[in-house]
Amino acid sequence: MARQRNTILILGEGPTEFYYFKSLGDVFRGLTVKPDYPKHTNLNELKAKIAEGIREGYSHIFCVVDMDTKCNDAERKQYQQLKDRYAKPVDKPSKGIHCEVRFFETHRCTELFFLYYFCYTSKGFINQDSLIKEINQHCKYEKSTRFFRECGGLHPHFERSGGSLLSAIRNANQSVAERNATNRAYTYSELGSMIEAIKEARSDI
């Protein structure tokens, strides 16, 4: 029988998410971020990691999803099926399990939230490289494991460079509000609401 673990498991699709949320350790102590051997994963691997987290007894599982990898009909359908499967909390009292699984999307990718540390934009980016180029107008950033390890933590690096997590949250929430108002399918990040959800969940555990 799994023992209920009143804590938060963050599941990312690649090294970027792992290193970023690990770098928030001074802001949110006790977060578990997986996979702890970071590599790019697919939806089947994400599905397996969610199931594993539920079995291990986590009370909250937050999935960080890049929408630029959900560009064809088959991927979008598979992703929607996964979201639908966990639309309601998993509740198995006899096994000591109650788990809320939530998905937080960014288009194009998590790097948009990094840009939001410095400024707001709603313009479309033709690819990930163009977004990274924009970040580099504000601070040095490379999408590489070497950089992630050597920068002293992504979150502290952005703040030392003049960025702000509070600004990132505010700008991300603005992008989602505009998306909802205009049905814009690009340049939005739900990671602001994810940070707020982490704060709320931690007040309960």
Side-chain angles (χ1 to χ4, degrees):
M1 177 184 297
R3 181 174 62 86
Q4 182 71 50
R5 301 176 61 181
N6 291 320
T7 189
I8 302 165
L9 172 62
I10 296 175
L11 295 178
E13 292 187 282
T16 305
E17 292 77 25
F18 173 84
Y19 284 103
Y20 174 67
F21 283 99
K22 277 293 187 183
S23 78
L24 287 174
D26 289 343
V27 181
F28 300 112
R29 297 188 182 278
L31 294 180
T32 301
V33 186
K34 291 188 177 180
D36 46 15
Y37 44 92
K39 63 183 183 67
H40 292 288
T41 62
N42 58 38
L43 282 173
N44 286 331
E45 291 169 319
L46 179 60
K47 181 179 177 181
K49 285 296 179 183
I50 293 171
E52 179 182 300
I54 292 170
R55 289 194 302 270
E56 291 178 350
Y58 286 92
S59 57
H60 300 80
I61 298 177
F62 293 163
C63 304
V64 185
V65 179
D66 286 350
M67 294 306 291
D68 63 353
T69 62
K70 314 295 180 294
C71 55
N72 63 50
D73 290 342
E75 289 170 327
R76 284 195 297 270
K77 182 178 180 180
Q78 185 183 9
Y79 173 55
Q80 188 59 51
Q81 288 172 341
L82 185 61
K83 289 176 66 177
D84 291 344
R85 178 174 181 175
Y86 293 108
K88 295 181 180 179
V90 178
D91 194 16
K92 299 179 180 180
S94 64
K95 295 184 178 181
I97 292 175
H98 181 84
C99 181
E100 179 186 15
V101 181
R102 296 179 63 181
F103 299 82
F104 296 89
E105 304 168 357
T106 300
H107 187 284
R108 301 191 64 89
C109 53
T110 298
E111 276 78 7
L112 178 65
F113 190 68
F114 301 164
L115 178 60
Y116 282 162
Y117 266 74
F118 302 96
C119 67
Y120 180 74
T121 185
S122 61
K123 73 177 184 180
F125 293 92
I126 59 172
N127 53 38
Q128 190 176 106
D129 288 343
S130 63
L131 175 52
I132 291 174
K133 183 177 180 181
E134 187 108 351
I135 295 172
N136 273 277
Q137 293 183 14
H138 302 276
C139 76
K140 180 177 175 58
Y141 177 78
E142 297 175 12
K143 191 180 181 72
S144 70
T145 299
R146 180 193 59 79
F147 178 77
F148 297 157
R149 289 174 174 170
E150 294 179 357
C151 70
L154 288 170
H155 164 66
H157 171 67
F158 297 143
E159 295 214 321
R160 287 194 303 269
S161 302
S164 161
L165 178 59
L166 291 177
S167 294
I169 294 169
R170 182 178 62 251
N171 289 331
N173 289 346
Q174 179 181 342
S175 74
V176 172
E178 290 182 2
R179 177 201 64 182
N180 293 341
T182 64
N183 291 321
R184 185 175 80 220
Y186 58 89
T187 315
Y188 65 88
S189 177
E190 296 177 341
L191 294 187
S193 59
M194 178 176 172
I195 298 295
E196 293 172 337
I198 291 172
K199 292 179 180 177
E200 181 179 352
R202 285 176 61 85
S203 70
D204 296 334
I205 61 180

